């Protein structure tokens, strides 16, 4: 008769040597998806795993490193070390999106469109779900942004402006939406660094109007205010981007 522990034992299977590291990675991903490997679980020792998969330890290590880079496991050293299954990390999605942007797979125009579309959904949900504490957090962010602007601290103002959208996304209580917005804002941070600072004096008044609409639960007015502000902002960003690209092209010639 099987014990509870034996029932929880992951069903590792020996595999063919062709593309072995990829197959090991896929099998462990599948076991995590099925719940046979759970956050905090420790995988068997390398020697044991290599024997079960019928591969060399170097091949096994290649697969484990890939899983570590994907933030699915953590490789710890020392007497109590080994490979441990991690809890989900929403930052992984954001980092992947930033990598895509840096590799040229996401254009500034696509960034603009995604941010406007996603923000519309977030504002609609926020109008329905925002608590008093949520609205106070948004107000605190706006107050801090005003203070940073008064000091002429562009970097802090830019960080707080991005944080406003992350706080707004957190009101949805949906990790998919939060991860998507974190990814978009991560790309935006890279984009702004490329084009340089700009004067966006209209943002703070727009935020004040948005907070007023959120407090009133006026979905139509809130989404209209957000879209108007973002379209204006991104038109400005894209104009700066186009000018910078032209300068770079002239310099190369």
């Amino acid at each position: 008769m099987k014990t509870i522990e034996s029932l929880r034992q992951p069903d590792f299977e020996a595999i063919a040597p062709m593309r072995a590291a990829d197959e090991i990675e896929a099998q462990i991903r599948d076991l995590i998806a099925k719940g046979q490997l759970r956050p905090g679980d420790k995988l068997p020792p390398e020697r044991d795993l290599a024997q079960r998969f019928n591969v060399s330890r170097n091949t096994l290590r290649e697969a484990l490193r890939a899983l570590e880079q994907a933030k699915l496991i953590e490789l710890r050293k020392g007497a109590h070390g080994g490979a441990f299954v991690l809890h989900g990390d929403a930052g992984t999605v954001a980092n992947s999106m930033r990598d895509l942007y840096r590799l040229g797979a996401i254009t500034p125009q696509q960034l603009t469109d995604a941010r406007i579309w996603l923000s519309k959904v977030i504002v609609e949900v926020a109008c329905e779900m925002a608590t008093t504490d949520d609205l106070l957090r948004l107000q605190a962010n706006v107050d801090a942004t005003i203070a940073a602007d008064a000091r002429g601290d562009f970097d802090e103002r830019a960080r707080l402006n991005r944080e406003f959208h992350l706080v707004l996304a957190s009101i949805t209580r949906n990790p998919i939406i939060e991860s998507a917005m974190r990814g978009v804002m991560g790309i935006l941070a890279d984009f702004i660094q490329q084009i340089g600072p700009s004067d966006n004096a209209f943002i703070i008044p727009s935020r004040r109007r948005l907070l007023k609409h959120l407090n009133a639960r006026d979905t139509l007015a809130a989404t209209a205010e957000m879209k108007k502000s973002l379209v204006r902002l991104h038109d400005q960003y894209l104009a700066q981007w186009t000018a910078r690209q032209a300068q770079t092209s002239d310099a190369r010639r």
Side-chain angles (χ1 to χ4, degrees):
M1 181 176 179
K2 290 187 176 182
T3 65
I4 293 177
E5 280 301 309
S6 65
L7 287 171
R8 279 202 58 206
Q9 183 68 25
D11 299 326
F12 296 110
E13 301 173 6
I15 61 175
M18 184 93 173
R19 297 182 61 82
D22 291 343
E23 292 187 36
I24 293 169
E25 181 186 353
Q27 193 175 138
I28 293 177
R29 282 177 179 272
D30 187 53
L31 291 170
I32 293 172
K34 291 178 179 177
Q36 291 192 43
L37 286 172
R38 302 173 185 172
D41 282 353
K42 180 180 179 181
L43 272 62
E46 276 190 8
R47 182 171 58 184
D48 188 6
L49 271 179
Q51 289 176 349
R52 295 195 200 187
F53 285 124
N54 192 30
V55 297
S56 70
R57 292 178 73 170
N58 284 338
T59 298
L60 174 68
R61 286 168 185 162
E62 182 182 347
L64 295 180
R65 282 195 295 269
L67 290 165
E68 183 180 39
Q69 290 174 355
K71 305 296 184 184
L72 291 175
I73 67 170
E74 178 185 9
L75 300 178
R76 303 176 191 169
K77 297 180 179 180
H80 301 289
F84 294 83
V85 179
L86 289 173
H87 293 270
D89 181 7
T92 303
V93 175
N95 290 334
S96 296
M97 290 175 68
R98 291 184 83 166
D99 289 341
L100 286 173
Y101 175 73
R102 289 166 180 169
L103 292 169
I106 296 174
T107 67
Q109 184 61 57
Q110 290 168 336
L111 168 63
T112 296
D113 291 341
R115 189 183 182 196
I116 291 172
W117 297 337
L118 185 58
S119 294
K120 180 178 184 295
V121 173
I122 289 171
V123 170
E124 288 176 349
V125 176
C127 277
E128 181 180 339
M129 296 183 59
T131 65
T132 300
D133 286 343
D134 291 329
L135 296 172
L136 287 174
R137 281 196 299 150
L138 290 171
Q139 183 62 61
N141 173 277
V142 172
D143 292 341
T145 304
I146 293 170
D149 187 57
R151 295 194 305 271
D153 190 340
F154 169 78
D155 290 338
E156 179 64 3
R157 187 189 73 184
R159 186 192 70 78
L160 288 165
N161 278 331
R162 294 193 299 272
E163 182 185 83
F164 181 88
H165 291 275
L166 298 180
V167 173
L168 199 57
S170 73
I171 296 173
T172 67
R173 317 289 193 261
N174 186 311
I176 298 174
I177 297 296
E178 290 184 60
S179 295
M181 181 53 78
R182 190 171 295 278
V184 167
M185 299 314 293
I187 296 173
L188 187 67
D190 287 350
F191 183 55
I192 292 174
Q193 188 173 33
Q194 288 179 299
I195 64 176
S198 59
D199 182 18
N200 305 319
F202 61 89
I203 290 181
I204 290 174
S206 176
R207 294 275 166 81
R208 286 172 170 155
R209 290 191 294 269
L210 178 63
L211 280 174
K212 178 183 176 181
H213 300 322
L214 288 172
N215 275 283
R217 311 292 172 173
D218 189 337
T219 303
L220 290 178
T223 54
E225 181 62 45
M226 176 61 81
K227 182 177 180 180
K228 179 182 176 182
S229 175
L230 290 182
V231 167
R232 181 176 178 182
L233 183 64
H234 280 275
D235 282 348
Q236 182 175 313
Y237 284 162
L238 291 173
Q240 288 178 252
W241 171 258
T242 301
R244 186 176 181 84
Q245 292 296 95
Q247 289 175 356
T248 302
S249 179
D250 290 343
R252 286 174 179 170
R253 287 198 297 266

